[in-house]
Amino acid sequence: MIDREVVIGIDGGGTSTRVLIYDLKGNELAYTEGGCASKYKDENASDHVKATIEDALVKGERVANDVVMLVAGIAGYESEADDAWITSFTDLPGLHCPKQHLNDSDIAHAGALQNRPGIIAIGGTGTMIMGITENGRRIRNSDYHQYAYSAARHLAYDAVYEVLAGLRDDSNEWLITEMLQHWQTNSLEDLHELARQGFHPDTMKRNQLFGQFAPQVTRAAEQGSSVARRVCNRAAEQLQLGIELVGSNFAQRNVDVALIGSVIRSPYMSSKLTELLKGNSIKQYRVVEPQLQPVVGAILLAYKELGIRTNE
């Protein structure tokens, strides 16, 4: 007879929901992706998460009563005060197992560093720096009210502003061409007019539009664009400061740092940030590759809650 008990891991960071189902012996049964899980970016976020869980259960040939532990890392969840809205994200008929709701950075850390001490720096749709020290203390740059303006939309906003302000030279020709094409304008004056009208009346859609342009900014930096390099360098310096703030809480001199997200892992940004961190005279920061995806980190945390030991 098949042992039907399973655990569910949910990654609700970024622009999509990822759900993974494992049995208690470390076997993957199902993986599905769905819509955005951030209630600050999509008013239907709760429905997206529930629908993705349901799809995963069907794919894994399991029902809600088979689930013995669920761990969900959801963007925007900061503390138990958020339970007022987060519980609805996993409130499915029959799904009455213990549930652990966390910030998406918590499961990202568990996956990237496999529950070892160290720091993760996230830079993609959003940005976050979080470390777990040798004594298990969880510290984020936001605890200091420091925020690294290095998410995708931030890079794009800054690049557009610099171009419109006239801070450009011949090295920015490709970037400007891509910029005009992205905003469907024929000239910089047309882009100016669009900007004066606020680009787009809906804040969420405007941010999404800017976020989608970030890959062109980081690519332009690789190609030598003066505007793109200034924008990326400023973002890298803010990330560096956040990492060093969190790193100051570690007792050991050597601290591992894993970079997560499309922006921070782009060739120019990752190279620049690594270079900046190497210049620290107090700590030895070692940039390491993330070991596992955040959704797998959620599975590891579910196993940990159940007292199930895991190996690599």
Side-chain angles (χ1 to χ4, degrees), residues 270-295:
S270 60
S271 176
K272 184 65 179 179
L273 182 55
T274 300
E275 174 191 335
L276 290 171
L277 290 172
K278 285 182 178 178
N280 189 286
S281 59
I282 301 172
K283 297 285 186 182
Q284 186 72 43
Y285 293 102
R286 184 170 71 108
V287 176
V288 299
E289 279 295 307
Q291 295 299 299
L292 299 168
Q293 293 295 320
V295 69

Side-chain angles (χ1 to χ4, degrees), residues 221-279:
E222 292 176 57
Q223 297 175 1
S225 161
S226 61
V227 165
R229 288 195 170 186
R230 281 196 300 272
V231 167
C232 290
N233 289 351
R234 285 198 299 267
E237 288 169 359
Q238 292 184 53
L239 287 165
Q240 173 198 9
L241 179 59
I243 290 169
E244 291 174 344
L245 270 174
V246 174
S248 67
N249 294 276
F250 285 72
Q252 296 180 356
R253 186 170 187 269
N254 297 320
V255 181
D256 285 347
V257 181
L259 308 182
I260 300 171
S262 58
V263 170
I264 202 170
R265 288 182 63 81
S266 65
Y268 185 86
M269 285 290 289
S270 60
S271 176
K272 184 65 179 179
L273 182 55
T274 300
E275 174 191 335
L276 290 171
L277 290 172
K278 285 182 178 178

Side-chain angles (χ1 to χ4, degrees), residues 121-175:
I122 300 173
T125 305
T127 179
M128 167 68 72
I129 298 164
M130 192 268 278
I132 295 181
T133 65
E134 301 89 345
N135 61 8
R137 186 174 184 182
R138 175 183 181 272
I139 300 168
R140 297 185 294 176
N141 63 325
S142 58
D143 296 336
Y144 292 84
H145 298 288
Q146 192 266 352
Y147 185 80
Y149 286 88
S150 56
R153 66 186 184 279
H154 298 140
L155 267 63
Y157 273 113
D158 279 359
V160 171
Y161 293 154
E162 290 220 359
V163 166
L164 292 181
L167 306 176
R168 56 186 188 269
D169 53 34
D170 292 343
S171 68
N172 300 293
E173 184 175 340
W174 182 84
L175 176 65

